[in-house]
Amino acid sequence: MEHLDHFKGLCCLEAAARHKSYTQAAEELHITQAAVSQQLRLLEAHLGIKLFIRRGRSMQPTSRAQQLADTLTAAFGSIGSCWQEIQCQGVPGELNITTTQSFASLILLPNLGQFNRLHPEIKVRVWASSQLEDLQHAEMDIGIRFGDIDAGELYCRHLFDDDTVPLCSSQLAQEQALTHASQLSQCWLIDADDKPGQDWLAWFAAAGITPDTQALNWVRVANLDMALSTALSGHGVFLGSRLMAQQYIRAGTLTAPLPQVLPGGIRYHLLYHAASPKLARIRRFEDWLQALIASLKAQVSA
């Protein structure tokens, strides 16, 4: 890589050959005309050839100087194009999204076909995990996360808050004739909380009920997906988000039989790095997701 020792001189050669002028080359490179002249003399001494010949007011490159300048122009152009692509990619391309298992299975994946039809040029990959990955240096581009978020340097957009309500299969609601909150103390309570029973006890308190905690029947599961599967099978009631369960409520397989809610139980945010080279396609996804959430909210309110 010996030639890179003369990189400044090569930049001066390329600019001077293009402009046929040391002065214009100096203006482009933000250095003095004397500095351009010095760099070219050093380059001539290193190469052992004459690079420019003065003709009137212009500096004409010799044939070998022009050959080198043409190669440099092409190379600098390739570097510039690559730099631009890295700094700011266009809309077409890949978009990697990391989110929770429940958001992926309940909201994102059931509706992703709609986004694919609107933006077939964007290839979305969804990864489910419980942790927020590095959105600046790793391969993930967007994070969709549950709860209160310490975003740090990331751009953070609030997606929605939703109360949690008892959800169960329509068949179970009919069989048990669920019409009053006190009846749930006799049902199997599906619990996916990391602090077992906490949300259910908070819901009973909000409903004005003090159940016999020793008599409550629990179905302990590891996550919301398992809770949903258990409820759909008719094996109990779980606390969940009506917004996130809309596809099942619309289909009639789940129902929210009681009006009592646990306020503010669900909160989601969208995060990404504002300087991401994929910002154009990130914003396409962000706009689509916001519209989807608005549509789901309207369905919940209807």
Side-chain angles (χ1 to χ4, degrees):
M1 304 296 286
E2 179 186 354
H3 54 284
L4 291 183
D5 294 339
H6 299 275
F7 185 74
K8 291 181 180 179
L10 293 173
C11 291
C12 291
L13 168 63
E14 191 276 334
R18 212 167 2 92
H19 292 293
K20 307 294 191 293
S21 167
Y22 287 5
T23 301
Q24 291 182 41
E27 291 174 356
E28 178 180 303
L29 298 173
H30 303 290
I31 57 178
T32 64
Q33 189 270 348
V36 170
S37 181
Q38 181 185 28
Q39 287 294 328
L40 291 174
R41 284 197 301 270
L42 291 172
L43 198 57
E44 285 180 332
H46 177 73
L47 295 172
I49 60 173
K50 186 73 173 174
L51 294 174
F52 287 88
I53 300 172
R54 177 176 293 279
R55 290 181 180 168
R57 291 187 170 183
S58 69
M59 300 298 296
Q60 294 293 325
T62 63
S63 60
R64 284 190 285 182
Q66 188 63 60
Q67 179 184 2
L68 180 54
D70 290 343
T71 300
L72 289 169
T73 299
F76 292 160
S78 296
I79 293 170
S81 297
C82 182
W83 182 269
Q84 180 67 20
E85 181 180 347
I86 291 172
Q87 289 291 337
C88 186
Q89 298 179 19
V91 173
E94 191 173 85
L95 193 62
N96 295 306
I97 299 169
T98 171
T99 187
T100 62
Q101 182 71 38
S102 56
F103 191 92
S105 61
L106 295 177
I107 290 185
L108 189 52
L109 293 177
N111 295 285
L112 192 58
Q114 178 191 119
F115 179 80
N116 291 337
R117 288 189 292 274
L118 289 172
H119 300 286
E121 73 282 8
I122 300 177
K123 308 305 179 186
V124 175
R125 295 198 303 166
V126 179
W127 305 84
S129 70
S130 59
Q131 302 296 323
L132 178 61
E133 286 82 356
D134 185 345
L135 300 181
Q136 183 174 3
H137 303 107
E139 64 176 338
M140 292 297 125
D141 305 307
I142 294 176
I144 302 172
R145 289 294 153 193
F146 172 82
D148 294 319
I149 298 294
D150 180 10
E153 297 181 355
L154 296 175
Y155 171 83
C156 180
R157 181 169 187 169
H158 173 254
L159 288 176
F160 67 89
D161 290 316
D162 197 21
D163 300 329
T164 50
V165 298
L167 296 167
C168 64
S169 70
S170 299
Q171 181 180 353
L172 179 66
Q174 292 174 0
E175 290 175 351
Q176 300 293 323
L178 296 178
T179 58
H180 193 273
S182 61
Q183 292 175 275
L184 292 193
S185 62
Q186 306 302 315
C187 295
W188 285 96
L189 304 178
I190 305 167
D191 186 24
D193 192 28
D194 58 353
K195 297 178 180 178
Q198 178 175 281
D199 283 352
W200 269 115
L201 294 179
W203 180 86
F204 278 118
I209 298 169
T210 305
D212 179 359
T213 56
Q214 299 301 314
L216 294 176
N217 300 306
W218 298 104
V219 179
R220 307 287 190 189
V221 295
N223 53 53
L224 184 58
D225 287 326
M226 295 176 67
L228 175 63
S229 297
T230 305
L232 287 170
S233 299
H235 296 319
V237 186
F238 80 102
L239 284 173
S241 160
R242 273 183 291 206
L243 187 149
M244 295 183 70
Q246 266 305 293
Q247 62 170 320
Y248 297 102
I249 294 174
R250 291 198 310 269
T253 52
L254 275 187
T255 186
L258 302 171
Q260 291 85 359
V261 303
L262 180 60
I266 303 292
R267 171 172 292 178
Y268 270 90
H269 295 85
L270 179 142
L271 305 101
Y272 58 83
H273 198 271
S276 170
K278 299 181 181 179
L279 193 58
R281 71 188 73 135
I282 287 173
R283 285 178 172 163
R284 294 289 199 285
F285 180 85
E286 179 184 13
D287 291 344
W288 170 79
L289 185 58
Q290 280 291 111
L292 173 63
I293 297 299
S295 174
L296 293 175
K297 285 181 177 179
Q299 293 173 27
V300 170
S301 301

